[in-house]
Amino acid sequence: MPDYQEMYLHLMRETEKAIRILVKAQQDCEELYLRESGPALRVLPSVGGHTEHPEKSTSAE
């Protein structure tokens, strides 16, 4: 008869290893991205100074 507990534990251990590998790869890529010296970003002023969204307007129509 198969040892279901051992099969389950084996699956969980191997799944945890796979997750750790994927998380490490993502972190490595994020570090590489952050180290790149790309163009500087700047915030531009809004046109006409209007920053309110139409659907959030508080004025009665």
Side-chain angles (χ1 to χ4, degrees):
M1 184 170 168
D3 184 353
Y4 291 107
Q5 182 177 4
E6 182 54 36
M7 290 169 54
Y8 174 81
L9 293 174
H10 176 74
L11 177 62
M12 291 303 105
R13 285 189 295 266
E14 295 302 311
T15 300
E16 181 63 27
K17 286 180 191 177
I19 291 169
R20 288 181 184 176
I21 289 169
L22 293 170
V23 168
K24 176 76 168 95
Q26 180 178 354
Q27 290 171 341
D28 291 346
C29 289
E30 289 170 353
E31 286 295 322
L32 288 170
Y33 176 80
L34 292 174
R35 276 191 246 144
E36 287 292 319
S37 58
L41 299 177
R42 60 188 174 126
V43 177
L44 300 174
S46 62
V47 177
H50 184 74
T51 58
E52 195 173 295
H53 294 285
E55 65 272 7
K56 295 182 181 179
S57 178
T58 56
S59 63
E61 294 181 20

